[in-house]
Amino acid sequence: MSQELDKRPGELSIKKSSLSKEQKTFNKLIQQIATLRQELAELTAVLDKQRQHYIKFIYPFIQQLTDLRGQLAVLMNGFMTISKGLSDHEKEDLRLLILQLLNDIFRYQQAEPEGELLDIFNALSETSYHDINEAYLTKLRAAAASDETLPAPVSATKRERYKEEKERLLDALRRKNIQQLYRQLAKFFHPDLEQDPTKIQLKEELMKQLVIAKEKEDLLTMLQLEIQWIEQEDRHPDSLTNDKLHLYNTTLKEQVKDLQEQINSLFNHPKYEFLQGFAKTPQSARFIDWKSEKNNLDHLLYGFRDIISGLSQDTKSALKVLKSVLKHNT
C-alpha cells in the first residue's frame, strides 16, 4: 500500500490510499486549525487597520453627529408628553425613534451615559440601561469564569467601570483560552516524561519557546509549536498509532473550538465594537467603503440640523415636521 506525507508550510497531514477514522480526523483538524489561525490573524490585522482609519478620518464627524443626535433626542422627547397632536401609534413610533437615537449615541460615547440622555432612555425603555449592561456583563462573567483570579478594575470613576469591566472580561476569555492551550502543550513538551535523549533536548527547547509565547499571550506561535512537535515526534505521521492520534485529536478539537470563540468574540471587544456601526461581521469589516461612509455622515449632519431647526419652531409647525420624520422612519 502506497503511503505519502503531504505537507505544506505550517501544515501537516497524513496521506495514503486507506486512512483510519482517527487519521482522517487528524488531517481535518490540522487543516481547520491552520485555516482558523490564518483567519484570526488576518481579521485582527484588518480590524486594526480599519480602526486607525476610523479614528483619523471618521471620528470627528461621529462626534458632531453624536452631539446633534443628543439635541434631537431631547427635542423629540418633549413631544412625548403633549396631550394633542400625536396619536398613540405615532407616540409609540416616536418612543422607538428616540431610543434608536440614544442607542446610537451610547454606542459611540467614550464614557458611560449620564444626565438627561440617560434619564430619557430609562424613562422610555422597558429595561433600564443599567440592567441591560448588567445582563451582558453577567454573560461575560460566566464565560470568563476560571480558577484564576481576575484582576480588579482600576477605574477611579463610576463612569468608566462598565467599559473597563467589559474589556477586562473579554481579555480574560482570551487569556483563558491561551492558558488552556498552554496546559495541553506543556503535557506534550515536558522533558521529564521523555526517555529518548534526542527528544529530551527538543522538548526542552520547545518548552522554552512555549513559556515565552504564553508570556506574550501569542496564541498563534503556541499553535505553530504544536504542529512542529507533531512533525518532529514522528517523521512519518501516517505510522502514528490510533491511540496517540486520538490523544492529539482530542486536544486539536479543543483548539478548534477556542479559535472559533476568539474569532466570534473579536468584534465585541471595546477596541473594535464601534466598527459594528459600519459592518455586520468582522469578516465584512474589510469591505467598509469609508468614502461612502463619510458622504453618508455629511448627509446625516445636514439632515439632523434641518430637523432640529424644524422642531425648534412653534408647536404647530414643529408637529408637522415631526410627523413627516416619523412617516419617513417607519
Side-chain angles (χ1 to χ4, degrees), residues 1 36 61 82 145 157 166 200 205 220 237 248-249 300 306:
M1 183 180 297
L36 291 171
F61 291 92
I82 64 173
T157 64
K166 179 180 178 182
I200 289 176
E205 179 58 31
L220 302 185
Y248 286 155
N249 289 343
L300 281 174
D306 190 46

Side-chain angles (χ1 to χ4, degrees), residues 40-103:
L40 179 60
E42 290 179 352
L43 279 178
T44 302
V46 167
L47 294 180
D48 282 336
K49 180 180 179 180
Q50 299 293 53
R51 179 175 180 268
Q52 292 172 6
H53 189 99
Y54 167 87
I55 291 173
K56 185 174 182 180
F57 299 105
I58 303 298
Y59 183 61
F61 291 92
I62 293 294
Q63 287 182 303
Q64 296 178 51
L65 196 57
T66 297
D67 180 63
L68 292 177
R69 282 192 172 108
Q71 296 179 43
L72 191 54
V74 171
L75 282 171
M76 287 184 169
N77 186 60
F79 290 90
M80 289 296 297
T81 57
I82 64 173
S83 58
K84 296 181 179 180
L86 292 176
S87 66
D88 291 341
H89 179 74
E90 287 174 325
K91 282 195 175 181
E92 175 61 15
D93 289 341
L94 178 58
R95 183 183 73 87
L96 295 176
L97 182 55
I98 295 171
L99 287 175
Q100 180 183 329
L101 287 169
L102 293 174
N103 280 320

Side-chain angles (χ1 to χ4, degrees), residues 280-304:
K280 293 183 178 180
T281 65
Q283 289 81 0
S284 63
R286 70 181 73 234
F287 304 113
I288 297 175
D289 183 348
W290 289 117
K291 183 177 180 179
S292 294
E293 293 296 341
K294 182 179 178 299
N295 290 335
N296 291 338
L297 290 173
D298 282 333
H299 288 304
L300 281 174
L301 288 171
Y302 177 83
F304 277 18

Side-chain angles (χ1 to χ4, degrees), residues 79 309-321:
F79 290 90
S309 176
L311 294 182
S312 301
Q313 301 178 74
D314 61 89
T315 302
K316 183 177 180 181
S317 300
L319 276 172
K320 185 176 181 180
V321 172

Side-chain angles (χ1 to χ4, degrees), residues 54-292:
Y54 167 87
I55 291 173
K56 185 174 182 180
F57 299 105
I58 303 298
Y59 183 61
F61 291 92
I62 293 294
Q63 287 182 303
Q64 296 178 51
L65 196 57
T66 297
D67 180 63
L68 292 177
R69 282 192 172 108
Q71 296 179 43
L72 191 54
V74 171
L75 282 171
M76 287 184 169
N77 186 60
F79 290 90
M80 289 296 297
T81 57
I82 64 173
S83 58
K84 296 181 179 180
L86 292 176
S87 66
D88 291 341
H89 179 74
E90 287 174 325
K91 282 195 175 181
E92 175 61 15
D93 289 341
L94 178 58
R95 183 183 73 87
L96 295 176
L97 182 55
I98 295 171
L99 287 175
Q100 180 183 329
L101 287 169
L102 293 174
N103 280 320
D104 288 338
I105 292 171
F106 298 162
R107 177 190 300 169
Y108 294 107
Q109 274 189 340
Q110 296 297 310
E112 184 176 330
E114 61 178 11
E116 185 176 14
L117 296 183
L118 181 59
D119 292 339
I120 292 174
F121 182 92
N122 290 334
L124 299 183
S125 176
E126 296 176 353
T127 307
S128 74
Y129 184 83
H130 173 78
D131 290 341
I132 292 173
N133 288 342
E134 280 301 311
Y136 178 63
L137 287 179
T138 297
K139 292 181 181 179
L140 282 183
R141 291 180 190 121
S146 67
D147 296 334
E148 300 179 25
T149 302
L150 300 179
V154 296
S155 174
T157 64
K158 183 177 180 180
R159 296 173 63 187
E160 295 296 326
R161 287 179 185 171
Y162 168 75
K163 179 183 176 183
E164 288 193 3
E165 182 172 9
K166 179 180 178 182
E167 185 169 357
R168 178 173 61 89
L169 289 170
L170 288 168
D171 281 340
L173 283 172
R174 178 178 55 82
R175 291 194 302 272
K176 180 181 178 183
N177 290 337
I178 290 174
Q179 180 67 18
Q180 289 173 341
L181 178 59
Y182 172 80
R183 290 170 179 167
Q184 294 161 4
L185 296 187
K187 294 178 183 179
F188 291 154
F189 296 164
H190 205 295
D192 292 349
L193 303 177
E194 187 58 63
Q195 302 297 324
D196 187 330
T198 303
K199 288 186 177 181
I200 289 176
Q201 185 176 2
L202 173 61
K203 281 191 171 184
E204 287 177 344
E205 179 58 31
L206 288 173
M207 195 67 187
K208 290 179 183 177
Q209 295 182 46
L210 177 64
V211 171
I212 293 173
K214 177 180 177 292
E215 291 175 349
K216 294 181 178 180
E217 298 186 349
D218 187 347
L219 174 70
L220 302 185
T221 295
M222 293 170 71
L223 291 169
Q224 185 61 45
L225 288 172
E226 179 183 36
I227 301 300
Q228 180 182 344
W229 163 244
I230 295 175
E231 180 178 2
Q232 291 292 336
E233 184 187 41
D234 196 316
R235 291 291 182 177
H236 301 283
D238 54 320
S239 67
L240 290 172
T241 65
N242 278 338
D243 287 342
K244 184 170 289 188
L245 281 171
H246 179 74
L247 175 63
Y248 286 155
N249 289 343
T250 299
T251 300
L252 294 174
K253 286 177 182 177
E254 293 176 358
Q255 292 167 23
V256 167
K257 181 180 178 181
D258 289 343
L259 279 169
Q260 289 172 334
E261 289 178 351
Q262 290 207 45
I263 290 172
N264 292 336
S265 65
L266 190 64
F267 214 31
N268 290 321
H269 196 279
K271 186 178 180 181
Y272 305 120
E273 66 178 351
F274 59 83
L275 291 174
Q276 294 176 18
F278 306 94
K280 293 183 178 180
T281 65
Q283 289 81 0
S284 63
R286 70 181 73 234
F287 304 113
I288 297 175
D289 183 348
W290 289 117
K291 183 177 180 179
S292 294

